[in-house]
Amino acid sequence: MSSAKERRTSNQLTIPTITTSQSTPQTPREQKKKKILFKCALTNTISDVLTNREGWAQTQGDDWQFFWVTREWMTTCYDKHKFSEKQLICHFRNDFELTRKDFLIKNYKKARKAKEKSGVDVATEFNFIPSSYVLPAEYHLFVEEFRKYPTDTIWIMKPVAGAQGKGIFLFRKLKHVQEWKKKDSSGSEALPYVVQSYIHNPYLVGGKKFDVRIYVLVTSFRPMNAWVHREGFARFSHSRYSTESVDDAFVHLTNVAVAKTAADYDPERGLKWSLPKLFRFFKSMHGQSKVSKTMNDLAKVIIESLKSVQNLIIQDTHCFELYGYDILFDENLKPWLLEVNASPSLTASSQEDFELKYRVLNHMIDVLDIEKKLLGNENQIGGFDILVRNSKPVELCKVARHAQPFFGAQLNLRLGDYVEPTPMP
């Protein structure tokens, strides 16, 4: 039962108690005394975090220090805006180099080719995106690749800028790929698609496939500084996995937006696991050593994907980005990168989901250190761990004195290993 002191959002979600500085919203007179002014273009969890953060006040003018902007603002206003020294916004100018599926694949292939030329065995050391092609530009290359595979191989088509599972379909026969050539009602060509070999052997829990959302905070690309939050979640498909039908989205897609359209969808049952729960399950099934190796492999996926665009992203000290990485594990616990989201959903689907996103965003602001409280050499801030500092990967043994690497160097990734500290009385 909630107490009278509990703060609630407009949709009746309870504001969680956070051990970092928080307070109830203050009066206008009290707000004038605040030093950190913010603007927020959204009305979801990030707005709740900013409104309830101690020492922060909303402004409608251009005197803001922190602005959670929209994609439209980046397109129409970024190039014209004259930033003052202390102003900070939540996107890099050309983050699409990493977050649009066709650009992600282009840059991955370029980095992979460079690795191969330098003598790296890319089949084992740089192989975290399935065989992929951008259509229509690479259609003929795709056809050549398609004919090398068994006839029952499944492929997946995705719009390059799609979201929430819209426009995705699977196929086995080449004639079905012509779907992307169809014109819309206005007669103009449809957007390009990405076609990938489908990961046919996903790791299953209870017979269902899932992917994992991971929050990666990049505060700079040159030099690269990247943090990964220990919390996140696994999203399960609505129906049990089977390759018998490639037309059933409830079997193959994990998007909540897709699951909600099922006739028997039950919002109370939920289709999410927290990362602590998922990794406890992994450890119980496979042991610590196997999970540690998977964690290290995943850290490398994050680092290499960021490095593939490091020299392409327009570096700006006024910008940061909270990316939503979507990862799928196969039956061998190998991580595959599905996509990177520049605007991961901040709208809560439940109280638990709200509290998780609230913590992630609150800790994100702690890392950005607009209040100037940090020393600058921290390895952990809230639930965030530093994975790359000054373009160098950070090893776990150097930040955790008693860590026992399973082999070689264990990178500083600790997914699922977060417990909210008990607030001081």
Side-chain angles (χ1 to χ4, degrees), residues 405-425:
F406 64 99
F407 72 95
Q410 180 79 26
L411 297 170
N412 190 35
L413 186 65
R414 306 189 191 185
L415 295 178
D417 187 22
Y418 180 74
V419 177
E420 178 69 15
T422 303
M424 296 293 289

Side-chain angles (χ1 to χ4, degrees), residues 234-357:
R235 298 172 297 195
F236 289 84
S237 61
H238 178 268
S239 303
R240 294 173 68 87
Y241 182 73
S242 169
T243 57
E244 291 183 5
S245 171
V246 296
D247 298 322
D248 192 340
F250 300 132
V251 169
H252 299 285
L253 303 184
T254 63
N255 309 77
V256 175
V258 172
K260 283 182 176 179
T261 64
D264 59 344
Y265 175 73
D266 181 1
E268 296 301 321
R269 184 181 64 176
L271 293 171
K272 288 184 179 181
W273 271 14
S274 68
L275 287 193
K277 184 174 182 178
L278 178 66
F279 278 91
R280 283 197 304 269
F281 177 83
F282 282 165
K283 289 175 185 177
S284 69
M285 297 296 292
H286 304 282
Q288 180 63 52
S289 179
K290 177 68 173 178
V291 173
S292 293
K293 183 180 186 308
T294 294
M295 196 80 75
N296 225 39
D297 290 343
L298 181 50
K300 291 176 182 177
V301 169
I302 295 170
I303 292 171
E304 293 297 342
S305 63
L306 292 175
K307 286 173 64 177
S308 73
V309 299
Q310 183 177 12
N311 294 322
L312 298 173
I313 298 293
I314 298 171
Q315 171 60 26
D316 188 336
T317 56
H318 299 290
C319 303
F320 71 93
E321 195 104 37
L322 181 68
Y323 294 106
Y325 269 64
D326 289 344
I327 301 290
L328 184 142
F329 296 102
D330 66 21
E331 61 187 8
N332 300 311
L333 279 186
K334 173 181 171 59
W336 295 91
L337 177 59
L338 299 181
E339 64 178 317
V340 182
N341 298 274
S343 301
S345 173
L346 302 179
T347 301
S349 59
S350 66
Q351 177 66 34
E352 183 180 8
D353 190 47
F354 174 70
E355 292 180 6
L356 182 152
K357 291 174 178 175

Side-chain angles (χ1 to χ4, degrees), residues 108 112 122-131 301 334-336:
Y108 168 78
R112 183 180 167 95
V122 293
T124 58
E125 298 296 324
F126 199 91
N127 183 32
F128 54 86
I129 294 181
S131 179
V301 169
K334 173 181 171 59
W336 295 91

